[in-house]
Amino acid sequence: QVQLVESGGGLVQAGDSLRLSCAASGRTFSTYAMGWFRQAPGKEREFVAAISWSGGNTKYTDSVKGRFTISRDNAKNTVSLQMNSLKPEDTAVYYCAANPVVDTTTARYWGQGTQVTVSS
């Protein structure tokens, strides 16, 4: 069992940066791939970024490549998403997710979500 709690969301202007963090409970955190998904109003949830258990493999959706960076600290049971050059279309609820392997479609465990709003 892995419990996930996100933090760091907020209201920013276009071009600003924001860093999301996800704290995980459970001694098995380091064995899980971690990811971030987001859901905008009226839209389906979509994959944003993922990182393998070791941190050696990362994946990003095309729209955030070069702007977002996912990282993890297995000693602290945390995963982060550094978001730079934010755009209004990045506005969404962002969810932290844990899965046995990197998966861009789903996850076994989910956080409660944190709101990110980017104004133009």
Side-chain angles (χ1 to χ4, degrees):
Q1 184 88 11
V2 177
Q3 293 184 322
L4 306 171
V5 179
E6 304 96 334
S7 62
L11 172 63
V12 297
Q13 294 186 330
D16 286 350
S17 297
L18 206 58
R19 186 177 182 87
L20 303 183
S21 294
C22 175
S25 64
R27 292 178 291 177
T28 59
F29 171 79
S30 62
T31 67
Y32 281 87
M34 300 298 296
W36 290 92
F37 291 73
R38 66 187 179 186
Q39 187 167 19
K43 295 188 177 182
E44 295 290 319
R45 183 176 60 200
E46 66 170 351
F47 167 77
V48 177
I51 187 166
S52 61
W53 67 270
S54 68
N57 180 32
T58 57
K59 286 188 177 182
Y60 299 91
T61 191
D62 287 345
S63 64
V64 307
K65 285 180 180 177
R67 300 189 299 123
F68 291 11
T69 302
I70 188 171
S71 60
R72 68 187 296 160
D73 185 336
N74 287 342
K76 296 181 178 180
N77 280 16
T78 59
V79 61
S80 298
L81 185 68
Q82 178 66 41
M83 305 185 294
N84 298 329
S85 302
L86 282 162
K87 304 175 181 180
E89 49 264 43
D90 294 318
T91 295
V93 177
Y94 283 71
Y95 297 92
C96 178
N99 202 60
V101 296
V102 172
D103 193 322
T104 62
T105 62
T106 190
R108 182 173 295 180
Y109 301 107
W110 297 91
Q112 83 288 351
T114 186
Q115 177 70 47
V116 172
T117 303
V118 184
S119 64
S120 58

